[in-house]
Amino acid sequence: MSVQRGAPEKFGLGAVDGWEEGFNGLCDAAIATLKPNEHLSLELSGESSHFMRLNNSKVRQSGTVGAGYVALQLVNGDRTALMTVPFTGDRELDRTAAVEALDELRRELPQLPTDPYVVLPDNLGNSRDRHGGQLLDPDQAADALLRSDQDFDLTGIYASGAVVRATGNSAGQRHWFATETFDLDYSIIGPSERAVKGSLAGQAWDQRKFERQVERSRTQLITLESQPFKTIKPGQYRTYLAPAAVTELVFMLSWGAVSEASMRQGSSALAKLREGQSLSHHFTFVEDFTQGTVPRFNNLGEVSAPEVPIIVEGELRNTLVSTRTAKEYGIKSNAASYWEGMRSPRIASGTLAESDILQTLDCGLYLSNLHYLNWSDQPGGRITGMTRYACFWVENGEIQAPIQDLRFDDSLYNFFGPNLVALTDTAEFVPDPDTYEDRSIGGVITPGLLINDFTFTL
């Protein structure tokens, strides 16, 4: 990884234009060293990003990151081993690192257990996708995000630039995906340290949209700051979940719900749907790659359909099936990732206008964010978690007071089922802001949800 201060000579896609040839050359060099009965898959993850860390409405850190790594998976017979090496852009250095990694994998393979469901590389065709954007120049970002007259503390992380995903294998297959995106994960904090959280992401920076969103957050912050918290007793309440809150519930579905392996092993939270139970006819949940925010190919280069319907009008249509799971159970793969989680989830919108949310809620809870989610009863689809940030008590269609944090514990068979009253008529893209190893891409497209009798326990 390299970190530089100031604007790079090349930024975004311009900085990664040579990576495709370099990665293909690395693949060719590594594959040329393979011995009989050896098979190789390679996966590249990389980025050329500008980032800023903001605190108290000031830039605390700013720079550019050029980073990448290649994962090599070697298969020989019924054994497989994996190793990652840095991808620097120096072609000779990268090729040497890949070949040396292969030698180390060969030494490890005989010591590993056999795998009866190992998946061999295949060539199902090549692809090349390149999505340009309209991003802020690094030199302009601070002025766009911060104003001298701001009366609140804006804190968060802004990242912008190109992200690359690519695969190659010894069967001859190659896939390349590069996109320019930005994401802003922020909180605005008042004098009492109460906070409102927000996020914004896309391929084209819209200054007016950013300012409108921050102003909405500021309005919520004024309400938080101006009134004492209201204590809500445990019980069941009519509840509106904003898109950011719904996103946390969607992430849970990738953790032991939509996976076919989980279904076969008896741990899927959606098992009752396969047994004949249904959710609300308002609820449609799809793996949707048509937005172009993430590649359709997985780590092995297998390409998914543009859309994979999971739940349609409350009925289970598909689970996510990796080739490994397909081999184990004698079924057909739909090119899911090895972990069989959602990569580009979307919940279909409904008919509730944004301007009518509070009036339709009438009396109950408005929840902007949730956190600390976990399964409390996975086979029963029960999820527990906490409210967070700007959450309010509403009476007669008007916000009355902020609430103390609450713990909820309820089943998806309730809140995605008969208790689901309505979904908003517009959906938001809520980005995945993770930057632990590299900048994440994708996120969740979801409307807000209005629910009856959402259960709170503490």
Side-chain angles (χ1 to χ4, degrees):
M1 176 182 292
S2 63
V3 180
Q4 303 171 343
R5 301 201 175 277
E9 293 182 6
K10 287 186 177 181
F11 172 64
L13 288 177
V16 300
D17 278 340
W19 286 16
E20 183 175 9
E21 184 178 349
F23 176 67
N24 286 334
L26 182 154
C27 291
D28 292 339
I31 291 168
T33 69
L34 292 179
K35 300 177 181 180
N37 299 321
E38 289 185 340
H39 307 270
L40 182 64
S41 296
L42 305 98
E43 180 185 15
L44 168 65
S45 295
E47 65 179 289
S48 172
S49 299
H50 169 236
F51 72 92
M52 288 197 311
R53 183 173 62 87
L54 308 171
N55 180 264
N56 200 24
S57 294
K58 293 181 173 61
V59 176
R60 302 300 184 179
Q61 186 180 19
S62 180
T64 59
V65 174
Y69 61 88
V70 176
L72 298 92
Q73 181 172 322
L74 180 65
V75 180
N76 190 336
D78 54 2
R79 288 183 169 87
T80 181
L82 179 71
M83 180 177 292
T84 61
V85 296
F87 184 82
T88 67
D90 183 310
R91 297 180 185 181
E92 290 304 316
L93 185 62
D94 291 339
R95 294 178 189 184
T96 299
V99 171
E100 290 177 350
L102 274 179
D103 288 337
E104 188 168 344
L105 290 172
R106 288 190 184 98
R107 291 191 293 270
E108 290 183 1
L109 270 178
Q111 306 172 50
L112 299 176
T114 60
D115 180 359
Y117 308 116
V118 67
V119 178
L120 296 179
D122 199 359
N123 187 349
L124 302 175
N126 303 329
S127 68
R128 186 178 187 276
D129 290 317
R130 189 176 186 274
H131 303 275
Q134 297 177 352
L135 307 178
L136 289 171
D137 186 277
D139 290 335
Q140 300 172 344
D143 289 337
L145 294 171
L146 304 173
R147 299 197 315 262
S148 59
D149 61 345
Q150 280 180 184
D151 57 356
F152 53 82
D153 168 5
L154 190 148
T155 294
I157 294 288
Y158 167 81
S160 175
V163 177
V164 171
R165 300 289 187 268
T167 64
N169 65 33
S170 54
Q173 182 173 264
R174 297 285 192 278
H175 291 296
W176 180 264
F177 176 88
T179 184
E180 283 185 325
T181 63
F182 75 89
D183 58 82
L184 172 66
D185 187 42
Y186 72 90
S187 297
I188 62 171
I189 306 169
S192 69
E193 297 189 354
R194 298 177 185 180
V196 176
K197 181 175 172 57
S199 63
L200 187 65
Q203 291 183 294
W205 178 263
D206 185 329
Q207 186 68 25
R208 291 185 178 179
K209 182 177 180 180
F210 163 71
E211 291 174 357
R212 287 195 301 268
Q213 178 162 322
V214 171
E215 185 57 31
R216 285 197 298 268
S217 296
R218 181 176 176 274
T219 299
Q220 289 185 327
L221 182 64
I222 291 172
T223 303
L224 280 176
E225 291 282 315
S226 63
Q227 301 184 38
F229 282 114
K230 179 180 178 64
T231 300
I232 305 296
K233 295 180 180 180
Q236 293 182 319
Y237 296 92
R238 189 170 171 94
T239 301
Y240 173 73
L241 298 175
V246 179
T247 294
E248 298 299 326
L249 296 172
V250 171
F251 285 154
M252 291 297 295
L253 297 181
S254 287
W255 184 18
V258 296
S259 160
E260 179 64 23
S262 294
M263 190 74 74
R264 297 279 175 156
Q265 294 161 11
S267 61
S268 172
L270 298 182
K272 292 180 181 180
L273 296 185
R274 181 161 286 181
E275 296 166 1
Q277 192 165 333
S278 60
L279 301 176
S280 168
H281 69 277
H282 296 301
F283 188 72
T284 293
F285 185 52
V286 179
E287 179 87 298
D288 182 2
F289 294 100
T290 62
Q291 305 298 316
T293 58
V294 298
R296 286 171 54 193
F297 56 84
N298 64 15
N299 59 299
L300 294 177
E302 301 162 334
V303 180
S304 172
E307 291 191 3
V308 180
I310 306 299
I311 298 169
V312 177
E313 296 181 350
E315 304 291 333
L316 182 67
R317 290 288 181 86
N318 294 286
T319 55
L320 296 180
V321 187
S322 67
T323 301
R324 179 186 177 81
T325 295
K327 187 174 182 179
E328 181 174 359
Y329 295 104
I331 55 180
K332 186 177 180 180
S333 168
N334 53 20
S337 64
Y338 69 93
W339 59 289
E340 295 182 341
M342 303 293 291
R343 290 177 281 162
S344 189
R346 174 177 61 83
I347 295 178
S349 300
T351 58
L352 176 61
E354 183 176 356
S355 58
D356 295 335
I357 290 172
L358 292 178
Q359 286 297 320
T360 307
L361 173 59
D362 185 36
C363 182
L365 294 167
Y366 183 108
L367 306 183
S368 296
N369 298 89
L370 302 174
H371 73 150
Y372 290 148
L373 275 65
N374 205 341
W375 295 109
S376 56
D377 174 12
Q378 190 164 325
R382 295 192 70 86
I383 299 174
T384 185
M386 299 290 294
T387 63
R388 195 181 195 189
Y389 295 115
C391 296
F392 302 97
W393 175 252
V394 176
E395 288 184 14
N396 299 318
E398 295 184 358
I399 291 176
Q400 299 297 314
I403 63 168
Q404 296 281 6
D405 286 340
L406 296 169
R407 174 170 291 280
F408 71 91
D409 192 314
D410 208 340
S411 171
L412 63 88
Y413 293 99
N414 294 330
F415 57 77
F416 289 151
N419 290 351
L420 180 57
V421 176
L423 302 92
T424 57
D425 59 1
T426 57
E428 291 184 18
F429 176 71
V430 183
D432 181 351
D434 286 351
T435 55
Y436 292 113
E437 293 183 351
D438 52 17
R439 186 155 65 93
S440 296
I441 54 176
V444 178
I445 298 175
T446 179
L449 272 59
L450 181 61
I451 299 164
N452 273 336
D453 296 332
F454 200 54
T455 302
F456 296 89
T457 57
L458 289 174

